[in-house]
Amino acid sequence: MGSPPRRSADLGRGIDRLATGCKRYGPGRLPKAENHAVGAGYAGASAAVCTAIFYAGISTVIGSVGLDAAADFVNIALAALALPLVVPAAFAIGYGGWKIVTPTSPVSGLVCGVLGVFATYGVVLLLFGILVTVPEVLSGASPLRAAVFSWGVIYVAFVEAWWAAVPIGAMSGFVYVAVISPTE
């Protein structure tokens, strides 16, 4: 009977330690992080970076079993090449998402984190699609071909990395709301 309160207290201490760590060493040091919408953007961007690192690491470890070094390089290169689009998109989704739907509990933060992952894929599709389609249009080539290519690239990226992106996005939303809840 005494166990559930201890778990709650342990969770509270863990969240407090995490909040202190974020403020000292992590995104909490970044400009305007005290603004909850900006902090949510930082949480989304941090989740995107963590997802890329986690994806590259795990897929390289799993890929090295029976595959060659070229496959490992491709996994790392894909994760690195995604960062310039994914990190700003995740920040924008975190910031905008906070402005539209302010989570009030860690569980609602978890749900918003998962939804944020899918919204980030959508924004990345739009950004990547523009980057690929505009040169096609300017060169007189078929924009449909570029749009289909863009969709295919993002589809493959989702299929390859959803297993890392969804749990990390969920955890990021949960932790961010849990960390800021005591200050509201």
Side-chain angles (χ1 to χ4, degrees):
M1 285 248 198
S3 181
R6 175 180 287 166
R7 286 183 191 155
S8 176
D10 288 344
L11 180 62
R13 282 192 297 272
I15 295 295
D16 289 343
R17 281 190 218 127
L18 187 59
T20 301
C22 285
K23 289 176 185 165
R24 281 192 191 152
Y25 310 110
R29 299 179 313 156
L30 295 171
K32 300 187 181 188
E34 66 279 353
N35 177 326
H36 293 315
V38 174
Y42 289 148
S46 298
V49 170
C50 289
T51 299
I53 292 168
F54 186 71
Y55 168 79
I58 295 297
S59 61
T60 299
V61 168
I62 291 172
S64 66
V65 179
L67 294 177
D68 59 10
D72 296 341
F73 174 75
V74 168
N75 289 330
I76 293 168
L78 288 175
L81 290 171
L83 288 175
L85 289 176
V86 175
V87 171
F91 179 88
I93 291 298
Y95 180 84
W98 191 272
K99 292 288 192 176
I100 294 168
V101 179
T102 303
T104 57
S105 72
V107 174
S108 63
L110 181 142
V111 172
C112 288
V114 170
L115 295 175
V117 167
F118 292 106
T120 298
Y121 274 105
V123 169
V124 170
L125 173 60
L126 181 67
L127 293 173
F128 186 72
I130 289 170
L131 287 173
V132 171
T133 305
V134 167
E136 287 284 313
V137 170
L138 294 177
S139 71
S142 169
L144 180 61
R145 182 178 71 178
V148 169
F149 174 76
S150 300
W151 184 87
V153 167
I154 302 306
Y155 174 76
V156 169
F158 178 76
V159 168
E160 281 288 314
W162 72 266
W163 56 268
V166 172
I168 291 173
M171 190 171 29
S172 176
F174 179 90
V175 168
Y176 181 67
V177 175
V179 164
I180 64 159
S181 290
T183 63
E184 291 190 320

